[in-house]
Amino acid sequence: MHEFKEAIVQWSVLNGREIKFVKNDKVKVRVVCKGNCGFLALVSKVGNKHTYRMKKWLGPHTCGRVLNNTTANSKWIAKTVASRMTSSDGIKLREIVSDIRNTYYVELRRVNAGNTYKINVIRVGPTMQPKFGCFYFCFDGIKKGFTHVCRPFIGVDGCHLKTKYGGTLLVVVGMDPNDQYYPLAFSVCETETKESWRWFLTLILEDIGQEKRWGLILVFEEMFERVEHRLYLRHLYANFKKKFGSGTQIRDLMMAAAKATYIQAWEAMMKELKVLNHKAWEWLMKVPTKL
C-alpha cells in the first residue's frame, strides 16, 4: 500500500494533476482528482491474503494541468532529494531547486512527447557565448483541442515585454465553440520583425497542419498563398489617425465599410470617403488587404 501511494503521488506530479486521498488506511486507499473531473483510483486488500490489488481505475484525468501542484509536498521533495543529500557533504538550496527542475524537465518531455518547444540561439563567434534569439512553445493537449473542436480560425498579435530583458511576445489564439479565446502557442523573440514572424508562423502551421484555410501581411502573402488574412480594424484605424488625424465622419465611414456584407455597400462607403478626403481614400486603397 505504501508503494502504491508513493507511485500515485509521483504519477500525479509528473502529469500536472492534483489528487487527494479520500480513504487512506491499512487495507484500502481511494484517490480522487482535486479538480473533480471524475478520476478515481481504488486499491484494497484481497480477502484475508497479504495481497493488494487495483480494483478500480477511472481515468485518465479530463481536467487541465495545474501550475501549482500541492501534491508535490515536502515529503515528496524530501524523498526526491534524499539520495543526493546522503551522498554529498553539503548541498545548497538553490542546487536542490536546480536539480529538481533539470530532472523533472526531462520527465515532462518524456510523458508529453507531443509538446513542441524550440529555442534559437545566435552564435556571434566561436569563442563567444551564444546569444538568445527566440523561443517557441505549444502544448500537445492544446494542439489536439484546437484541431478537434475549435473553429478554423487563428488570430496573431505581438506586444513588448516591459522587463529588464526586453523582447517581444508573439501569440496565436483560436476561437472555441463558445466564442471564447483559445490560447494556442506563444513565442518570445528579441524584436517583432518579418523573420521572427516567419519563424513563429512556420512552427504553428507545422503543429496545426496546413490542410485548412486558417484565417503580418508580408509573411502570410510570401509563405502561405492559400491562407486568408485580415488586418485588425482597430490597428488599421490607429495607423490611419496618426497620418490623417481623427474625425467622426471618417471613422464612421471606415466602420461602415468594414461591416459591409456585400461589395456594393463597401463601394458606396468608400465613394463617400473619397469625396470627403481623397488622400485618406488613396491610403486605404493601398492597404494590402480588405477592410
Side-chain angles (χ1 to χ4, degrees), residues 116-168:
T116 304
Y117 26 78
K118 302 282 185 179
I119 298 179
N120 273 3
V121 296
I122 302 170
R123 298 189 180 275
V124 181
T127 60
M128 300 180 67
Q129 289 289 335
K131 182 181 178 183
F132 173 79
C134 45
F135 169 77
Y136 171 90
F137 199 98
C138 183
F139 285 108
D140 182 52
I142 294 291
K143 289 184 283 186
K144 291 178 179 176
F146 179 79
T147 54
H148 282 80
V149 302
C150 288
R151 301 179 181 183
F153 165 85
I154 59 173
V156 294
D157 202 359
C159 66
H160 297 291
L161 297 174
K162 297 180 180 179
T163 66
K164 65 178 181 179
Y165 300 107
T168 302

Side-chain angles (χ1 to χ4, degrees), residues 70-131:
T70 57
T71 306
N73 54 25
S74 57
K75 290 183 178 179
W76 178 83
I77 295 174
K79 182 178 181 298
T80 303
V81 302
S83 58
R84 180 176 176 182
M85 294 183 69
T86 54
S87 61
S88 176
D89 294 335
I91 184 172
K92 296 181 179 179
L93 179 60
R94 63 174 178 269
E95 294 175 347
I96 295 176
V97 174
S98 177
D99 184 58
I100 291 178
R101 283 178 175 171
N102 292 333
T103 301
Y104 286 91
Y105 172 71
V106 175
E107 286 295 312
L108 285 173
R109 291 184 62 181
R110 182 181 62 81
V111 298
N112 296 277
N115 289 351
T116 304
Y117 26 78
K118 302 282 185 179
I119 298 179
N120 273 3
V121 296
I122 302 170
R123 298 189 180 275
V124 181
T127 60
M128 300 180 67
Q129 289 289 335
K131 182 181 178 183

Side-chain angles (χ1 to χ4, degrees), residues 8 10 15 17 20 26 31 35 44 60 66 77 84 93 102 151 170 172 175 178 190 195 234 248-249 281 286 289:
I8 195 70
Q10 183 83 347
N15 287 275
R17 304 297 197 275
K20 60 181 178 181
K26 294 181 178 180
V31 181
S44 62
V66 294
I77 295 174
R84 180 176 176 182
L93 179 60
N102 292 333
R151 301 179 181 183
L170 307 180
V172 169
M175 190 74 72
N178 295 322
E190 282 196 312
E195 293 303 321
R234 178 172 61 84
T248 56
Q249 283 185 297
W281 173 83
K286 293 178 181 178
T289 187

